[in-house]
Amino acid sequence: MATSEPGGSRRSRFVIYLYSTKNMVGSALALGGLALYFTGVVHDLWPVVVAGLYAFGVLVTPRPKSVDLHDFDPRDVDRALDRLVKSVAGRLPRDVQGRVESIVETIDGILPRTGQLAPGSPELFILQRTATDYLPTALESYLNLPRAYATMHQLEDGKTARQLLDEQLDLLGEQMDEVADAVAKNDADRLMAHGRFLEERFGKSDLALPGGDGSPSAPPAAPPVVPPPVVPPPVVPPPSLPQGIPPAPPSAKPPSAPPSPSTG
């Protein structure tokens, strides 16, 4: 019957542990505990002594360091680029020199942000190999040829060494642009994720600023202008007359003029 993968994995780890330094040291100390029992140094507590010595050996033995052959160190790439630029300075045609400097500048721009790429990712591998192998090998092969031979002699497919170098530099430049795009995409993804976090954290909380959607809130409306109340003029009562003086009678209507005689 076939063994399932989890069980096989556990057995594999157990077998590896049996050959580990931790088990070797613990077993040696446990054998020492058995020797103490057989020589009569310890008696009834010998199982505890043996188990304790084994556990002590396992705990005090350091874990072996894992080996990572894909370790990426930006300083190694930077030093390789410095050596390359100094080695080819003044020895390449002007246009080739410009293209090499463009590739180097692209790599220099990527190096401070390589921590955003996953360890052992294809982008890191291509970046490191371009700086330490691919680009130096292409330039070295070209510079070792006589200038006239590299420019005029046709090699495979009717292309000269100079044309082949141009194609290789184009390919390396495209690869470095793709790595730069991958790093920029990681930056954009992190920015969007951070924005979603802030929106979830503060978007609907009591700490949200007025406006709700992040837009600046409108200024408060001015209070309505209330006109001042109209105060009526004070009512002045008529002057009171002294007692015993009757009020003046109302003024009589003047008699109307008699009609004028009519003329015959």
Side-chain angles (χ1 to χ4, degrees), residues 66-85:
S66 59
V67 178
D68 185 6
L69 298 180
H70 296 89
D71 188 22
F72 179 85
D73 190 350
R75 294 172 297 182
D76 294 339
V77 176
D78 189 57
R79 286 191 291 264
L81 291 177
D82 287 341
R83 290 193 301 268
L84 175 66
V85 172

Side-chain angles (χ1 to χ4, degrees), residues 20-195:
S20 66
T21 306
K22 284 180 171 290
N23 182 57
M24 297 292 183
V25 175
S27 298
L29 293 179
L31 290 176
L34 288 176
L36 294 177
Y37 169 71
F38 288 122
T39 57
V41 177
V42 293
H43 300 284
D44 296 337
L45 296 179
W46 69 268
V48 178
V49 174
V50 172
L53 289 175
Y54 178 84
F56 177 77
V58 171
L59 292 176
V60 299
T61 304
R63 184 185 300 273
K65 295 182 179 180
S66 59
V67 178
D68 185 6
L69 298 180
H70 296 89
D71 188 22
F72 179 85
D73 190 350
R75 294 172 297 182
D76 294 339
V77 176
D78 189 57
R79 286 191 291 264
L81 291 177
D82 287 341
R83 290 193 301 268
L84 175 66
V85 172
K86 292 178 182 179
S87 299
V88 302
R91 302 179 59 187
L92 294 171
R94 182 172 301 178
D95 57 338
V96 175
Q97 182 72 33
R99 297 166 75 177
V100 172
E101 292 176 355
S102 176
I103 295 175
V104 172
E105 290 176 0
T106 302
I107 297 176
D108 285 337
I110 298 172
L111 287 180
R113 298 182 293 166
T114 52
Q116 302 173 18
L117 297 174
S121 64
E123 290 82 6
L124 284 180
F125 176 79
I126 294 174
L127 180 68
Q128 185 176 29
R129 297 297 291 176
T130 297
T132 61
D133 184 12
Y134 301 153
L135 184 58
T137 300
L139 296 177
E140 179 181 347
S141 300
Y142 173 79
L143 290 174
N144 286 335
L145 296 174
R147 180 63 58 88
Y149 180 91
T151 306
M152 301 175 60
H153 185 74
Q154 294 183 353
L155 301 174
E156 59 182 35
D157 297 333
K159 298 177 182 179
T160 63
R162 168 62 190 276
Q163 292 172 333
L164 294 176
L165 176 64
D166 291 339
E167 292 179 355
Q168 294 175 19
L169 293 179
D170 289 340
L171 181 59
L172 292 176
E174 293 174 359
Q175 291 295 321
M176 291 303 97
D177 290 339
E178 291 181 3
V179 174
D181 291 341
V183 174
K185 183 179 183 301
N186 286 346
D187 289 336
D189 291 344
R190 291 179 60 195
L191 181 62
M192 290 188 293
H194 188 62

